[in-house]
Structure formats: structure tokens, C-alpha cells
Amino acid sequence: MEDKLEILRLLEENGRMDVHTLAKMVDKSEEDVQAIINKLEKEKIILSYAAVVDWSKVNDREGVTAMIDVKVTPQRGVGFDEVAERIYRFPEVKALYLVSGAYDLSVVIDGNTMSEIASFVSEKLSALDSVISTTTHFRLKTYKHDGVVFGDEDDDDKRIVVSP
């Protein structure tokens, strides 16, 4: 069990890590590690492998990301699941979370323009019967995502300089 958790942590940090390196790091054979990974994929514990991209450095890409807080009326017998399913089926939706606090759901969407996102909110999201209210926040800058720090810093020595 501990090996499985360590493999998951390592792959979450670097999904491109090869089986040979993983095996050395957890002190297991490559065959054992591959079998563990295959089982985790089959059990849908590992859902996908993704790259973290700093889109602000890609010249040809303009776009807007919005986080939308949504207050909904839960459905009898299914709670929030039914309305969540209706929302995550929209192709614009990149992520959807059930959250605690003043709102029930947090929706993350990508669009080409702010008006495209506004249209999504007014024509699709707010049009759902169980949606009571929404609040939209636009991402202005990314500092850290999935444990990766964004910025122009180089990977030089990060120790604090101490002078007498």
C-alpha cells in the first residue's frame, strides 16, 4: 500500500517519469511498478497524465479563464450530482467542484474573450432551473498551479544570501 501511495505521489509530481526511474525510487522491480501503475489506471485512480503549460508565454494564444461560483437548489434524492452533471457536460467547463461556504459549486471555464464567458454564464449556466445565482471571477495571472510555480525565475540556487 505504501509503495502505491509513493508511486502516486511521484507520478502526480511528474507524469512523465519512466518506470525504470520509479522502480529505483521505490526500491521495487520495474515489473512490479508497471503492474501497480496498470492496476491504478484500471481502477480509475490514475485518470490521466497532463502537462502544466504556462500559456502566458505562448504568443499565438489569447484566452480567458474564469472561476464561477454557483448557488443551486439541490435535487431531491440526488443532491447536487444531477445539476453538476448537467454543468460538466458543457464543453467549456474545464473543472467543476462541490464546495463549502456561500456557494455550492465552483466551475472553471476557458473562453476566447470575456464576452464569450459572459454568454456562457447568461445563456447556458444561469438558464438551468436549479441555478439560483452566480459570481464570476476572471483569472488575471497564475502564480502557482498544480504545485508548479510560474514566473521568469531561473532554477539557480535559491538559498538566501547571508552577508556579515
Side-chain angles (χ1 to χ4, degrees), residues 94-99 104-108:
K94 300 299 173 208
L96 175 63
Y97 308 98
L98 178 64
V99 295
D104 304 306
L105 300 171
S106 179
V107 182
V108 179

Side-chain angles (χ1 to χ4, degrees), residues 1-154:
M1 180 65 167
E2 190 173 312
D3 292 330
K4 180 167 77 170
L5 291 177
E6 186 63 21
I7 290 169
L8 284 170
R9 283 187 200 102
L10 290 167
L11 285 174
E12 185 177 43
E13 186 176 313
N14 179 2
R16 293 185 64 169
M17 191 176 296
D18 60 69
V19 173
H20 175 75
T21 304
L22 280 168
K24 283 186 172 185
M25 293 179 82
V26 297
D27 196 27
K28 289 274 188 197
S29 72
E30 290 182 33
E31 294 77 21
D32 287 347
V33 169
Q34 188 61 59
I36 291 169
I37 292 171
N38 291 344
K39 184 174 187 222
L40 292 168
E41 289 172 348
K42 183 179 179 188
E43 293 174 349
K44 304 240 186 268
I45 293 171
I46 295 176
L47 299 174
S48 73
Y49 299 88
V52 177
V53 179
D54 187 348
W55 287 106
S56 69
K57 294 182 179 178
V58 179
N59 294 333
D60 297 350
R61 193 216 184 239
E62 292 288 325
V64 180
T65 299
M67 288 74 64
I68 306 164
D69 297 327
V70 183
K71 185 177 277 283
V72 300
T73 304
Q75 302 299 310
R76 185 176 306 231
V78 292
F80 298 100
D81 294 346
E82 189 175 290
V83 68
E85 183 177 350
R86 290 185 68 194
I87 293 170
Y88 72 62
R89 290 191 179 279
F90 290 119
E92 299 91 340
V93 175
K94 300 299 173 208
L96 175 63
Y97 308 98
L98 178 64
V99 295
S100 63
Y103 290 88
D104 304 306
L105 300 171
S106 179
V107 182
V108 179
I109 68 167
D110 285 335
N112 293 318
T113 63
M114 291 175 87
S115 61
E116 186 178 293
I117 289 175
S119 293
F120 170 81
V121 173
S122 63
E123 296 170 13
K124 294 181 179 179
L125 192 58
S126 295
L128 297 175
D129 290 337
S130 50
V131 171
I132 299 169
S133 66
T134 64
T135 301
T136 302
H137 310 274
F138 291 97
R139 182 179 69 196
L140 302 177
K141 182 176 181 177
T142 301
Y143 294 101
K144 186 174 183 179
H145 179 78
D146 283 347
V148 177
V149 176
F150 284 52
D152 292 327
E153 314 151 357
D154 31 8

